[in-house]
Amino acid sequence: MALATKSQLLELAQEIQELTGQLVAHLSDAGKKEPNFTAESTEVPSDDDYNALRDRLCDATADLEQLVKGPKTHLRDYFSTHHELAAFQVAFDFEFFTAFPRDGSIEIGELAQRTGLDEELIPRVMRLLCLHHIFEEVSEGRYTHTHGSITLAENEGLRAAATYQLDEYFQAASHLAPSLRATISQSPDEPKVTAFRSAYGVSLFEFYARHPERGARFARAMIGVSQLNNDFNQLLGCYTWDSLGAKAIVDVGGGNGHMSVALAKVLKYARFVIQDANEGMLNQGEMSTGQDLKNRITFMRHDFFTPQPIFGDVGAYLLRQITHNWADEDVIKIFKELAHALENCDPSTPLLINELIIPEPGSRSRFEERIGRQMDIMMLVALGARQRSRAQFQTLLMKADPRLKITKVHDGIPMGILEVHLARG
Ligand SMILES: C[S@@+](CC[C@H](N)C(=O)[O-])C[C@H]1O[C@@H](n2cnc3c(N)ncnc32)[C@H](O)[C@@H]1O
C-alpha cells in the first residue's frame, strides 16, 4: 500500500480556508461588511478576536507564498522593494493622494497639471502603485481612488507617518551596516555614529531642531501612529487606573502630555504631572489643555537623568515610549532615578513602562513579532537604541536597583505595559 505523503502546501491551503471561514463568520456576526479594494470599502474591525484570526491568516498566507515562490524568486522580489518605496515617495512628494478627486476619476494630463510631475513619468509610478491596490487604472491613463489610496488621502496623520518613514528613515536605514562598522574603530569620547547621523551629519534630535517643519511632521506622524494602533484604549485597558483615586500620575518624558490629557478626560479624580526636558512641547501642551482640566494637570520641566522631584503621594510613574530611545546604560540611569523616587512613595506605587515589548521568538504570531523587530531596527537606525523584551527590561531594572521587579505584564503589540514595583525588605 502506498504511503500517503503529507503536503505542506495543501495543509497551509486548508488552514487558510479554515481561518478565512472563521474570519468571514466573525465579520458577519459583528454585522460588518467584507472588505474590498474600492474606495467605498468599510474598514476592517480591530477587536482582539479579529486581530488574532488576521495574524494567523497572515502567517499562513505568507508561508504559502514563500514556499510556492522558492527562495530565489522570493528574495529577488523582496530585495527590490526599495524601488517600490521610491515610487511611493514620489506619489507622496508630488501629493498625488490629495490631488485626486474624492469621487470619479482623473486623467494623466490633469494629474500632471495638479502635481507638477512630468506626464510621461506619472504612469510609470502609478502602475506600480496600482499593483498594490493603491489607485486603480480604470481605462488607459485614467485613475480612481481605491480603499488604500482614499485612506491615505483622508488621514493626514497616516500620511505624515508614511512620509517620515519614506524620507528620513528610508535614507538613514541604508547607512546601517557602514555605521555599525564605523563604531568598531570609534573612540568612546566621539559622538556615537548612528545610521541617522551617518546619513544626515547630525543626530535625529538635532535634525528635527534644525528642520522644524520636519519636526512638526514627526509630531503629526506620532499622533497618526498612536491613533492607528489604538494606543490610548490599550493604555487605558492595561491598568486599573481607578485604583489610584486622586493621587498624582507622573508622566515622565510626557512630551506635550497628550496621553495624560486623554487619561484625565476619563479618570475624573486623578491628578497629572507632565514632565519633559523640551520646554516647547510643555508649552504647547499647556496652551492646548482645556480650562476644565487645568486644576488637575501640571506641566513641569524635568530632565529624567536628574533626581525625580515628585514623590510621596504619587499614584504611578508612567514612562511611555521613553526607553526605546535610549541605549542600555542610559535606561539604567533613568530607572535608578525612579527607584530613588519610589523609595519615598507607598510600596504599592508602580512604575508603568508603556512600550512595545518584543515577544520571545515563537511566543506570538510572526506577523506581530515582525512589527516589533522592525521597530527594534528602526530604533537602532535612528538613535543607536532598541526595543526590548520583558527579560531585557528585567535585566536593566535589576542593574538599576535589584529591588525593582516586574510584577505584571500586559503584553500587547504594538504597545504593552510592564508594571514594576520596588520590593521592600
Ligand atoms: C518618543 S517621545 C514620548 C513622549 C510621550 N511619552 C508619548 O508617549 O507620546 C520622547 C520624549 O522624551 C523627551 N525627553 C528626551 N530627553 C529627555 C530628558 N533627558 N528628560 C526628560 N524628557 C526627555 C522628549 O522631549 C520627548 O517628549
Side-chain angles (χ1 to χ4, degrees):
M1 196 173 73
L3 284 178
T5 45
K6 259 173 93 175
S7 158
Q8 192 181 358
L9 298 184
L10 278 175
E11 277 182 8
L12 279 168
Q14 276 158 10
E15 189 185 344
I16 290 166
Q17 172 139 21
E18 269 163 39
L19 289 168
T20 308
Q22 290 174 38
L23 195 130
V24 168
H26 182 83
L27 288 171
S28 158
D29 291 349
K32 301 264 183 195
K33 287 190 181 154
E34 271 188 35
N36 60 56
F37 292 118
T38 70
E40 285 69 44
S41 175
T42 50
E43 198 42 80
V44 293
S46 60
D47 60 88
D48 290 349
D49 290 342
Y50 183 87
N51 289 348
L53 284 169
R54 173 202 65 190
D55 295 358
R56 288 173 60 201
L57 196 46
C58 287
D59 279 2
T61 51
D63 277 358
L64 185 63
E65 185 184 339
Q66 203 169 324
L67 282 172
V68 168
K69 281 180 176 169
K72 286 185 199 150
T73 304
H74 171 69
L75 294 174
R76 187 198 57 203
D77 254 22
Y78 194 72
F79 293 151
S80 300
T81 42
H82 53 290
H83 301 305
E84 309 204 9
L85 294 180
F88 271 98
Q89 196 183 43
V90 172
F92 281 113
D93 197 74
F94 285 85
E95 301 186 8
F96 280 19
F97 294 93
T98 44
F100 263 62
R102 169 71 181 79
D103 301 304
S105 59
I106 187 166
E107 175 274 320
I108 289 181
E110 175 72 12
L111 195 55
Q113 243 177 22
R114 289 192 188 183
T115 61
L117 187 64
D118 190 288
E119 221 173 283
E120 192 266 328
L121 288 169
I122 288 179
R124 295 172 65 187
V125 171
M126 289 295 285
R127 285 186 173 149
L128 192 46
L129 301 189
C130 287
L131 295 177
H132 290 277
H133 299 290
I134 300 292
F135 305 117
E136 186 188 348
E137 190 166 10
V138 280
S139 59
E140 191 165 348
R142 183 166 281 282
Y143 301 92
T144 57
H145 264 310
T146 57
H147 193 211
S149 60
I150 200 79
T151 302
L152 284 162
E154 292 183 342
N155 187 329
E156 209 217 337
L158 193 55
R159 281 204 307 285
T163 46
Y164 93 109
Q165 285 293 349
L166 291 176
D167 294 335
E168 285 93 290
Y169 293 102
F170 187 21
Q171 277 192 52
S174 65
H175 287 245
L176 182 59
S179 72
L180 293 179
R181 198 162 282 288
T183 56
I184 296 172
S185 53
Q186 210 189 359
S187 96
D189 42 324
E190 286 175 86
K192 194 168 174 180
V193 181
T194 59
F196 194 94
R197 187 184 281 282
S198 150
Y200 290 96
V202 289
S203 76
L204 178 81
F205 294 126
E206 285 163 338
F207 176 83
Y208 284 133
R210 286 183 194 191
H211 302 278
E213 73 299 341
R214 289 287 178 97
R217 182 173 74 181
F218 177 77
R220 287 200 302 281
M222 290 302 97
I223 294 170
V225 170
S226 73
Q227 282 168 355
L228 198 68
N229 295 341
N230 214 357
D231 281 358
F232 174 67
N233 286 337
Q234 219 177 7
L235 178 65
L236 192 64
C238 270
Y239 186 72
T240 49
W241 298 98
D242 281 336
S243 65
L244 302 181
K247 287 184 172 179
I249 296 164
V250 184
D251 188 355
V252 183
N256 64 9
H258 67 113
M259 276 293 157
S260 282
V261 170
L263 279 174
K265 288 181 182 159
V266 180
L267 309 171
K268 297 292 175 209
Y269 303 105
R271 290 175 294 118
F272 293 84
V273 181
I274 295 151
Q275 301 179 327
D276 206 277
N278 183 321
E279 208 124 11
M281 293 186 99
L282 293 170
N283 290 339
Q284 188 204 2
E286 199 156 16
M287 282 193 306
S288 59
T289 301
Q291 210 55 42
D292 52 328
L293 297 176
K294 283 212 157 120
N295 61 342
R296 291 194 289 126
I297 299 185
T298 314
F299 290 84
M300 170 190 238
R301 193 171 190 289
H302 170 63
D303 173 352
F304 46 54
F305 292 111
T306 63
Q308 172 57 245
I310 309 285
F311 46 80
D313 196 24
V314 168
Y317 293 98
L318 175 64
L319 267 184
R320 182 175 184 277
Q321 291 201 320
I322 298 300
T323 56
H324 74 172
N325 286 345
W326 298 93
D328 286 355
E329 56 277 20
D330 298 312
V331 175
I332 293 171
K333 285 184 201 152
I334 298 170
F335 286 163
K336 264 193 180 101
E337 294 304 341
L338 287 166
H340 288 315
L342 284 169
E343 265 171 0
N344 296 306
C345 296
D346 190 86
S348 64
T349 304
L351 161 61
L352 302 174
I353 304 172
N354 186 202
E355 272 288 352
L356 186 154
I357 302 157
I358 297 256
E360 294 303 334
S363 66
R364 311 282 291 222
S365 68
R366 282 177 300 117
F367 176 82
E368 279 183 290
E369 187 178 334
R370 185 161 167 237
I371 296 172
R373 303 221 169 266
Q374 283 177 341
M375 277 290 286
D376 182 42
I377 298 297
M378 179 181 160
M379 288 302 139
L380 181 62
V381 164
L383 294 155
R386 64 182 309 163
Q387 296 295 151
R388 297 175 174 87
S389 66
R390 174 199 177 147
Q392 286 164 336
F393 271 112
Q394 184 60 72
T395 304
L396 299 188
L397 288 161
M398 284 279 290
K399 284 188 179 166
D401 188 317
R403 296 170 300 167
L404 285 174
K405 301 256 162 25
I406 297 173
T407 49
K408 226 182 215 173
V409 183
H410 311 264
D411 57 347
I413 291 269
M415 296 288 279
I417 279 202
L418 296 177
E419 203 175 316
V420 177
H421 283 93
L422 187 79
R424 310 295 160 95

